[in-house]
Amino acid sequence: MRRAIALSEESVRTGGGPFGAVIAKDGEIVAEASNSVTIDHDPTAHAEVNAIRKAARKLGTFDLEGCEIYTSCEPCPMCLGAIYWAHLGRIYYANDRKDAARIGFDDDFIYKEIALKPEERHKQMQILLPEEAKEAFQMWESSSEKTEY
């Protein structure tokens, strides 16, 4: 955790956001990263996502089961989703979402939005061409060549 916190401080000093993350397996660091949203002009370049990408490349797999993540702040909804998709076993964090909100990162707003029905959210959502889109799902379902994740 101290390394994740150090990465968050280093990120602020170098123009990134105040977030750091470390992924470990069997007590050894596999990957580490900080937030580079403003540096990379990439709204998905959160510390956790950056660390997951590095760990997956290093280990040669999209399945990070057996790894755990240490992050300087409670993961935002996007990062939490990525952590689940990566199958990381445990999440350790230092600051929480209320601490983040106090300095202008209102992740709690998105957590609340997710709980709403799509028609009640602040961003308008509309279903388009669902029947056409089902073709890819049917192709996936019947494929014997797919790698499930």
Side-chain angles (χ1 to χ4, degrees), residues 24 28 31 42 47 76 86 125 148:
E28 298 292 322
D42 178 354
C76 75
M125 299 178 73
E148 295 197 25

Side-chain angles (χ1 to χ4, degrees), residues 18-75:
F19 306 98
V22 172
I23 294 176
K25 184 172 186 170
D26 301 324
E28 298 292 322
I29 292 177
V30 174
E32 60 181 44
S34 59
N35 177 289
S36 60
V37 168
T38 56
I39 295 165
D40 294 338
H41 308 289
D42 178 354
T44 68
H46 291 201
E48 298 92 335
V49 171
N50 288 342
I52 288 168
R53 289 173 179 159
K54 286 180 178 181
R57 275 194 302 274
K58 182 174 182 178
L59 297 175
T61 181
F62 56 83
D63 187 344
L64 301 178
E65 188 171 335
C67 295
E68 47 198 20
I69 189 164
Y70 297 81
T71 181
S72 64
C73 188
E74 180 180 1

